[in-house]
Amino acid sequence: MLIVLTQIVLIVSFAITFYQDLNDRKVYWFLFPIIGLCAGVLYFTNTLPELFLISVFYNLSFVFILFSVILLYTKFKLKTSFKNVIGLGDVLLFLALIFGCATISFMVLLPSALIFSLALHLLLSKKQVHKTVPLAGYMSLFFGVAFLGFWFGVIDSIYHI
């Protein structure tokens, strides 16, 4: 029962993040720890504690490398500040998601979420008032669907790959 409640809270948190980021480009800060905690609890209960810790470390390393590349690109190529390219909510979502799945799954899901976000933004950009990309919202939609797909058996596993 507790697992089902955690799954519901996770999906609702993803949905609220999607809605708020799409409409206001602002997301309540407390949603990110809730997402991280719920995703972490669900992953922790489906794997060994040692594998959970190793996955979190590698996922954090992957996100750190990704942010380093973005930082270097924005500094040298775009000649602008990091905060002008990616929002705090986007960074917090990336950090919350490191607790959610095994490293290989994370290394597949995260770039897939970024490609999905780009495609969705290009598709919807003509209808939007804001010029910025609601990356946290689009990624929340993607990860919400990915978790639902796993729980309903459409996706084989995000915890053991």
Side-chain angles (χ1 to χ4, degrees):
M1 181 64 181
L2 186 60
I3 297 298
V4 173
L5 181 62
T6 305
Q7 290 172 333
I8 292 169
V9 170
L10 180 62
I11 294 302
V12 168
S13 298
F14 279 140
I16 293 170
T17 302
F18 172 69
Y19 178 78
Q20 286 184 333
D21 201 19
L22 195 64
N23 289 330
D24 303 329
R25 297 300 192 271
K26 295 178 184 175
V27 179
Y28 292 134
W29 66 270
F30 60 84
L31 289 172
F32 301 112
I34 291 172
I35 289 170
L37 183 66
C38 290
V41 165
L42 292 170
Y43 179 38
F44 185 81
T45 57
N46 283 289
T47 191
L48 299 171
E50 298 84 11
L51 292 177
F52 174 78
L53 292 174
I54 289 170
S55 292
V56 168
F57 173 75
Y58 284 128
N59 293 351
L60 180 61
S61 300
F62 183 67
V63 167
F64 178 75
I65 291 167
L66 182 66
F67 284 155
S68 298
V69 169
I70 293 170
L71 178 68
L72 291 172
Y73 184 78
T74 58
K75 185 174 184 173
F76 295 114
K77 183 69 175 170
L78 299 178
K79 307 224 187 287
T80 188
S81 173
F82 183 75
K83 67 181 181 177
N84 292 336
V85 175
I86 191 165
L88 180 60
D90 305 329
V91 172
L92 293 175
L93 183 64
F94 276 75
L95 295 176
L97 291 172
I98 66 171
F99 300 101
C101 52
T103 301
I104 300 299
S105 296
F106 186 75
M107 294 174 109
V108 170
L109 287 173
L110 190 65
S112 298
L114 292 170
I115 292 168
F116 170 80
S117 299
L118 174 64
L120 193 57
H121 181 70
L122 291 174
L123 192 69
L124 300 176
S125 63
K126 294 175 182 159
K127 297 178 184 178
Q128 293 181 352
V129 177
H130 303 286
K131 298 222 183 240
T132 58
V133 178
L135 183 61
Y138 291 156
M139 287 182 56
S140 293
L141 176 64
F142 180 87
F143 274 94
V145 170
F147 275 98
L148 284 171
F150 169 64
W151 297 330
F152 286 107
V154 177
I155 298 173
D156 287 337
S157 179
I158 58 174
Y159 298 139
H160 302 294
I161 297 175

